[in-house]
Amino acid sequence: MKKFTVLTILALTVSCFMATAQKQNNKKMKKVLFVVTSHDQLGNTGEKTGFWTEELAAPYYALLDQGVIIDIATPKGGQPPIDPKSADPSSATEDTKRFDADTVLLEKLKNTKKLADVNQADYDAVFYPGGHGPLWDLVEDKNSITLIESFYSHKKPVAFVCHAPAVLKNVKVNGQFLVKGKKVTGFANTEEEAVGLSKIVPFLLEDALKANGAVYSKGADWNPYAVEDGLLITGQNPASSKLVAEKLLVQLNSKK
């Protein structure tokens, strides 16, 4: 009987210890919101656009593989459009190949949350992949603007890559453009010209950031380049996607 009692007490102790450890582990796990475009029309060209696969896949896996929990939201909810050019084999990377075979992520994309229904209080940071789509919807989306302002005001990192920094165009904090006086980067005018869309996009991202007082810089076209200024992290082009995620991860890990 005594043996049974000791074993029972031991089992309960181990169970409680494991439950406590699990709770502590869950508390440590970081949660990031990805905000993706719902826009699929490339101006009046009749061509399709959307988000750029690598710019979602590379940061997603860089964070996921380090235990970060990720939710995805879009203005309309549901499946966001993928820029068909980013799905072309010529644009493939190890991350996009993983993306193509990832049934869990593909299902998550089919059921993205509506942007209006998300709350920054539920997350530790927000990340915006690019593609040309955001230039038409997220730039003017009031829910997106309010969300970024809320994350930043609550001292949480806000990260953007390629065309995504364009969504900062109308974001203000304390009456000033968030990017004013901040070091930033984003898809360069020379890169936009190289892809032949300078006259198609509603505005040039580099020019818009500068007009709002940002201290814009860039690396060589198509090469990895990211800038960090406090809570604000920006990357220049698709090749910069993982670099942005790595900088974001450092910030997340620095917060208890």
Side-chain angles (χ1 to χ4, degrees):
M1 186 59 131
K2 288 183 178 180
K3 184 178 180 181
F4 176 77
T5 303
V6 171
L7 289 174
T8 302
I9 293 173
L10 181 60
L12 288 172
T13 301
V14 171
S15 179
C16 290
F17 175 79
M18 292 180 66
T20 301
Q22 183 63 44
K23 286 181 180 179
Q24 290 176 341
N25 186 55
N26 288 339
K27 286 181 181 179
K28 292 178 182 178
M29 293 181 76
K30 301 298 183 180
K31 194 171 183 180
V32 174
L33 178 70
F34 274 40
V35 179
V36 182
T37 182
S38 288
H39 187 84
D40 68 351
Q41 297 296 315
L42 189 62
N44 297 316
T45 64
E47 296 181 19
K48 294 292 186 180
T49 188
F51 74 87
W52 196 262
T53 306
E54 182 182 3
E55 294 169 27
L56 184 144
Y60 182 90
Y61 293 124
L63 296 173
L64 184 74
D65 291 347
Q66 296 301 314
V68 176
I69 299 169
I70 302 168
D71 283 344
I72 305 175
T74 56
K76 295 181 180 179
Q79 177 69 52
I82 299 174
D83 189 309
K85 292 180 180 178
S86 73
D88 189 275
S90 63
S91 299
T93 66
E94 289 305 310
D95 289 311
T96 63
K97 291 175 184 177
R98 181 177 173 183
F99 170 91
D100 291 337
D102 190 339
T103 55
V104 174
L105 176 52
L106 294 177
E107 187 65 24
K108 184 185 288 189
L109 279 170
K110 289 180 183 177
N111 298 282
T112 65
K113 300 173 180 289
K114 278 193 176 182
L115 199 51
D117 297 335
V118 300
N119 188 333
Q120 68 80 17
D122 297 329
Y123 301 93
D124 298 291
V126 66
F127 176 85
Y128 281 68
H132 283 88
L135 295 174
W136 278 274
D137 65 348
L138 288 171
V139 170
E140 306 293 339
D141 190 286
K142 292 182 179 179
N143 292 312
S144 174
I145 293 168
T146 299
L147 192 69
I148 296 169
E149 292 171 350
S150 183
F151 268 95
Y152 195 83
S153 296
H154 285 82
K155 311 299 182 186
K156 296 178 180 180
V158 291
F160 313 82
V161 68
C162 200
H163 283 90
V167 307
L168 294 166
K169 186 173 184 284
N170 297 307
V171 177
K172 293 183 177 182
V173 175
N174 298 323
Q176 298 284 342
F177 287 114
L178 188 154
V179 299
K180 185 176 181 180
K182 300 287 194 311
K183 296 175 183 178
V184 301
T185 189
F187 204 61
N189 288 353
T190 50
E191 291 172 316
E192 200 71 82
E193 185 177 349
V195 297
L197 295 176
S198 296
K199 305 298 183 183
I200 304 299
V201 293
F203 61 90
L204 292 173
L205 181 153
E206 179 181 333
D207 291 351
L209 291 173
K210 290 177 178 177
N212 284 352
V215 182
Y216 178 88
S217 63
K218 67 170 189 171
D221 288 358
W222 315 116
N223 283 283
Y225 183 75
V227 174
E228 186 174 7
D229 192 330
L231 297 169
L232 177 61
I233 306 169
T234 50
Q236 182 178 328
N237 47 38
S240 310
S241 302
K242 188 168 290 186
L243 184 54
V244 172
E246 289 169 351
K247 290 181 178 295
L248 177 57
L249 191 60
V250 170
Q251 289 210 23
L252 288 171
N253 289 336
S254 70
K255 297 179 182 295
K256 294 182 179 180

